[in-house]
Amino acid sequence: RTPAQSEGPKHMSDRPNLALPRSVLDVLMATLDVDVIGLIECLVSPGWRLSFGSADAPAIHYNLSGTGRMVVGGFSAFPLVPHTLVITPPKKPFHIEVDDRTAAKTVNVVEAQWESRFGEGIQRFVAGNVDPAVILICGYFRATYGSSIDLFADLSTPIVERFEPDDELGSKLQAALAEISGRQVGMQAMTTAILKQVLVTLVRRSLNSTSVWLERFSILSDRQVALAFADMVARPSADHSVMALAQKAGLSRSAFMARFARAIGCSTMVALRQMRMKRAADMLA
């Protein structure tokens, strides 16, 4: 541990990961569009496993109660205790399992057949025929800038953070489930707003986390590119040019173009066009 790491959470909260200014992180969170694809309930009994195949979208999982474990893709299993929040990357299968209290192993498997039908009610997946040992709220989502610049597209490893009851993430996600069940006017707007609150809470946690997992996002992995990208999403109608953005990033034009494409996944002008089209669509709406 370096001296800076040893200073503890108080000082770490004043030193965001990647050395990105708080103003930049504020812009990137405020302009992030979050869409809920589906929310589901998962209940797993002792001696059972609930398995999900890979999906194109990332998924969020919050353990309301009980203890078990989760396995994502080819990674090692990690424990699920109450108030654990997990983000699983896109295109990675995962499963939730609980050991049998007597046999000390998982023996029964349920393959979940999730369907993307947001707004048509809550899907519930149950593995087991006794009282569940773990109860989770899970959901698939997209978090994008412009029309297709996906914050989670290149996430390759799961994010695991443990929260406290006072953080109220469980009550927020339960409120999202209630919105879907109620099917009232504005249901989608309310549900997406709730999920964005949860994601912003997670990003806040990362600033005090000993695991620098913000660097796993390609959009945030290059500090200099992130500074210019935040300016683009904050002011898409400004008279941006590649040269001006490169100067903001403190890079040469050629280096900026190469690093921008690597971090964002498209050229600078393609990204700017997406921002402008999204802003125009919002204004028309």
Side-chain angles (χ1 to χ4, degrees):
R1 293 171 64 84
T2 66
Q5 289 174 322
S6 301
E7 289 175 353
K10 179 179 177 181
H11 295 278
M12 289 179 69
S13 64
D14 295 328
R15 183 180 52 80
N17 292 336
L18 311 178
L20 282 175
R22 287 184 178 273
S23 59
V24 170
L25 288 171
D26 279 338
V27 167
L28 292 174
M29 290 300 98
T31 54
L32 182 66
D33 289 317
V34 177
D35 293 314
V36 179
I37 302 174
L39 286 178
I40 55 180
E41 290 180 299
C42 297
L43 294 82
V44 185
S45 297
W48 289 78
R49 172 186 296 171
L50 181 59
S51 181
F52 289 80
S54 60
D56 291 336
I60 187 168
H61 316 269
Y62 187 81
N63 187 20
L64 293 172
S65 64
T67 58
R69 62 176 173 267
M70 177 179 279
V71 178
V72 180
F75 299 101
S76 300
F78 53 85
L80 289 175
V81 297
H83 313 296
T84 300
L85 188 144
V86 182
I87 301 288
T88 51
K91 298 181 173 60
K92 294 284 186 183
F94 60 89
H95 64 257
I96 304 157
E97 60 188 21
V98 180
D99 284 336
D100 186 280
R101 294 191 180 100
T102 56
K105 61 181 180 179
T106 302
V107 293
N108 304 293
V109 179
V110 171
E111 298 288 344
Q113 300 296 321
W114 176 76
E115 298 178 6
S116 178
R117 54 185 190 188
F118 177 67
E120 297 182 15
I122 302 298
Q123 294 183 72
R124 172 179 286 188
F125 295 103
V126 179
N129 48 20
V130 297
D131 291 339
V134 292
I135 301 175
L136 295 94
I137 296 177
C138 306
Y140 292 93
F141 68 96
R142 294 197 185 280
T144 58
Y145 298 97
S147 59
S148 63
I149 300 172
D150 194 326
L151 178 63
F152 289 83
D154 294 325
L155 183 68
S156 58
T157 58
I159 295 169
V160 183
E161 289 285 347
R162 184 178 177 184
F163 289 83
E164 300 298 331
D166 290 345
D167 294 312
E168 299 184 345
L169 293 190
S171 60
K172 286 184 172 68
L173 289 168
Q174 286 175 318
L177 290 177
E179 282 290 332
I180 296 175
S181 297
R183 301 188 188 182
Q184 297 186 46
V185 173
M187 174 268 293
Q188 185 166 6
M190 288 289 287
T191 306
T192 55
I194 290 170
L195 185 57
K196 184 167 181 178
Q197 288 182 41
V198 173
L199 291 177
V200 171
T201 302
L202 180 63
V203 171
R204 283 179 176 176
R205 169 59 61 88
S206 76
L207 303 182
N208 294 326
S209 176
T210 56
S211 174
V212 192
W213 52 257
L214 274 183
E215 292 182 353
R216 302 182 201 174
F217 298 108
S218 61
I219 293 175
L220 304 178
S221 62
D222 189 319
R223 178 184 185 276
Q224 290 166 286
V225 168
L227 293 174
F229 182 73
D231 191 32
M232 292 168 62
V233 298
R235 303 183 306 121
S237 59
D239 188 21
H240 295 294
S241 68
V242 174
M243 182 57 72
L245 290 167
Q247 290 174 346
K248 185 173 186 64
L251 297 168
S252 69
R253 187 177 187 277
S254 59
F256 173 73
M257 291 176 66
R259 284 168 59 170
F260 188 96
R262 185 164 58 248
I264 309 301
C266 61
S267 71
T268 310
M269 289 297 107
V270 167
L272 183 59
R273 183 163 62 247
Q274 286 196 37
M275 307 303 167
R276 289 172 171 168
M277 293 297 288
K278 180 61 171 61
R279 176 64 61 87
D282 290 343
M283 292 174 70
L284 286 170

